[in-house]
Amino acid sequence: MDKLEVKGKWNEWKGKLKQKYADLTDDDLKYEEGKEDEVWGRIQKKTGKAKDDLVKWLRDLG
């Protein structure tokens, strides 16, 4: 997943992630340019899902 795709859809995806995984906070989902790996790490830690699984799920959302 490239950075432009993430940046362009992040607000939409953030809402979907919070709906599916209620224990994710705004701080967990705070997107900062250049720190994408940190965001994915926090999401993976809270959800227990692999990054590839999360990316596939988000892409399937549209």
Side-chain angles (χ1 to χ4, degrees), residues 10-43:
W10 189 250
N11 286 331
E12 177 185 341
W13 287 350
K14 183 168 66 169
K16 299 292 185 182
L17 283 163
K18 284 173 73 174
Q19 285 176 350
K20 183 159 176 81
Y21 302 102
D23 57 336
L24 287 171
T25 66
D26 286 333
D27 287 339
D28 293 329
L29 298 171
K30 184 176 180 184
Y31 177 84
E32 293 181 55
E33 192 84 27
K35 295 187 176 183
E36 293 86 1
D37 289 337
E38 289 179 25
V39 173
W40 286 114
R42 289 190 301 265
I43 294 170

Side-chain angles (χ1 to χ4, degrees), residues 3 5 54:
K3 292 177 185 181
E5 182 179 5
L54 291 165

Side-chain angles (χ1 to χ4, degrees), residues 38-60:
E38 289 179 25
V39 173
W40 286 114
R42 289 190 301 265
I43 294 170
Q44 287 177 275
K45 184 176 180 180
K46 288 262 181 133
T47 64
K49 302 284 184 185
K51 180 180 176 183
D52 291 340
D53 293 335
L54 291 165
V55 168
K56 182 183 181 322
W57 179 73
L58 289 169
R59 282 187 172 154
D60 289 347

